Amino acid sequence: MLARHHPRVLLALKAAGAAALAWLLVQPAGGFVDDYPYYAPLGAAVAMSTTVVTSVRTAGQAVAAIAVGAVVAVAARLLLVGPLPTPAGGVAAVALVVGLGTLLAGWPRFGSMGSWVPVAALFVLILGGQDPWPYVVAYAGLVGVGGLVGVLVNAAFPQLPLTPATRAQDELRDALADQLDRLAVGLEAEEPLSEDEWLTVTASLDPQLRRVEELVGLALEAQRGNWRAKRWADDAARQHRRARALQQLTASVEDVVALVSDPRSPVHADDEDARALRCAVAAALSRTADMLRTSGADVDPTTARASYELAGIAVRQLKREVVRIALAPPIVLGDRGLAAAAIAVGLERTVLAWR
């Protein structure tokens, strides 16, 4: 239950345990390691992640970044400092290792650990002294040992972060429902909304969609190297299907938003047919929003099914209204009918995507 509902708490406990274990592990080493034992728990903390795969990748990237930074620092010391250090040589060496390290930090293989390259180079240059290799071995080696401890602890107590992804999906679903409700209210307003007023009604859902995709991708990655993944396989598969439905849903809702919120659309004309279309569109929007809100895990399946059926009925009524106007004499579909038909199709796709 802790791993499922409070993943951050479990992650903190694992990080604390791994750091303590790494600290205890290097205490008997002796030698120059005694001067830098804190690098082991640092490596454990850095390597700790929600997924085993990420832990392995992060630990490897950290050690690689330290190694590259050390090479930069040693080269700068040989070139600019030499056996008889001078203030000018020291300043030039600092500038060189930070500048070159920052350039190398952009290599994609370093990932999030790229910033360690200039930091490691600066540490080796300043703290390594005339013979930097013992410090380099202690720095990279102890971070590596700590990283290995973090990976092993993570592998022993793996997580499958389904709850954060589920919450993000619920938030996106509610945002989509709110968007549809705002459109319905705007269509039913006594006075037509201006273009600026329609802009305040609509809002981009791209950031929330990207957040959902990121968290679902993390949950999928967490199944690799996870001996507990089979236990949650059905939930993970269901969440993946739900994410795909939300992607389709968001695209469909955005199409509807673009059509409804454009005040130049012929649906906003001031005549009887346009008013009838607006009422039918508003009803379909509201029913679709209700369908989305009554689709959570804590909703009674009968209620969810009824809401889905009501949304389908409202969309079919909208389609019948579009056909009625299209077949009314003279039989010319026109821009108004095309816009209304596009809205009906978009809402129908929304309902089907969420089924």
Side-chain angles (χ1 to χ4, degrees):
M1 294 295 291
L2 181 65
R4 186 175 179 85
H5 298 291
H6 303 284
R8 176 58 60 176
V9 174
L10 179 58
L11 182 64
L13 291 174
K14 290 195 300 182
L21 186 59
W23 175 266
L24 293 173
L25 189 64
V26 300
Q27 291 304 308
F32 61 84
V33 172
D34 278 346
D35 295 329
Y36 313 103
Y38 44 82
Y39 284 133
L42 174 63
V46 167
M48 186 53 61
S49 175
T50 305
T51 73
V52 178
V53 172
T54 304
S55 285
V56 174
R57 181 169 59 243
T58 303
Q61 289 172 338
V63 174
I66 292 171
V68 171
V71 170
V72 170
V74 171
R77 174 171 285 279
L78 292 175
L79 289 173
L80 299 174
V81 178
L84 298 175
T86 64
V91 171
V94 168
L96 177 61
V97 299
V98 172
L100 184 56
T102 302
L103 285 175
L104 294 174
W107 191 32
R109 291 294 182 89
F110 287 135
S112 61
M113 295 292 103
S115 60
W116 279 46
V117 178
V119 172
L122 195 59
F123 279 12
V124 171
L125 179 68
I126 296 174
L127 302 179
Q130 293 297 318
D131 185 16
W133 292 115
Y135 176 76
V136 171
V137 172
Y139 189 9
L142 291 175
V143 168
V145 169
L148 179 60
V149 172
V151 169
L152 293 176
V153 170
N154 209 11
F157 304 98
Q159 295 176 248
L160 193 58
L162 297 177
T163 299
T166 299
R167 288 173 180 166
Q169 288 179 338
D170 288 344
E171 290 171 2
L172 176 58
R173 178 204 64 195
D174 291 343
L176 288 166
D178 291 343
Q179 186 88 288
L180 294 176
D181 271 341
R182 288 195 297 269
L183 291 174
V185 171
L187 283 175
E188 294 175 326
E190 293 184 4
E191 293 294 331
L193 301 186
S194 66
E195 188 169 356
D196 290 339
E197 288 173 326
W198 276 116
L199 287 176
T200 62
V201 168
T202 62
S204 175
L205 299 172
D206 287 345
Q208 289 168 288
L209 179 59
R210 284 196 297 270
R211 178 64 175 164
V212 167
E213 292 171 346
E214 175 187 339
L215 289 173
V216 171
L218 182 63
L220 291 174
E221 184 181 74
Q223 297 181 67
R224 298 168 56 192
N226 190 332
W227 57 271
R228 300 175 62 194
K230 289 184 178 180
R231 179 181 178 185
W232 306 107
D234 291 342
D235 288 344
R238 189 179 304 111
Q239 189 179 85
H240 183 55
R241 290 195 300 270
R242 193 171 186 238
R244 292 178 60 187
L246 278 167
Q247 290 174 338
Q248 298 173 17
L249 191 63
T250 303
S252 299
V253 169
E254 286 181 342
D255 289 343
V256 172
V257 168
L259 290 164
V260 173
S261 63
D262 187 351
R264 298 165 297 181
S265 171
V267 175
H268 296 287
D270 188 18
D271 58 65
E272 185 177 346
D273 284 342
R275 285 191 290 272
L277 274 177
R278 287 198 294 274
C279 288
V281 171
L285 290 169
S286 296
R287 289 298 187 184
T288 304
D290 291 340
M291 177 197 71
L292 295 179
R293 289 198 181 91
T294 56
S295 59
D298 56 342
V299 177
D300 179 67
T302 303
T303 303
R305 180 67 183 178
S307 181
Y308 165 74
E309 290 176 352
L310 288 173
I313 291 171
V315 171
R316 288 193 292 273
Q317 288 176 341
L318 171 59
K319 292 170 68 176
R320 283 195 291 271
E321 188 66 24
V322 172
V323 172
R324 181 190 68 78
I325 293 174
L327 297 181
I331 303 177
V332 179
L333 187 58
D335 291 341
R336 179 180 305 164
L338 287 174
I343 293 170
V345 170
L347 288 173
E348 186 175 44
R349 287 171 54 202
T350 300
V351 173
L352 292 177
W354 200 241
R355 178 176 58 182

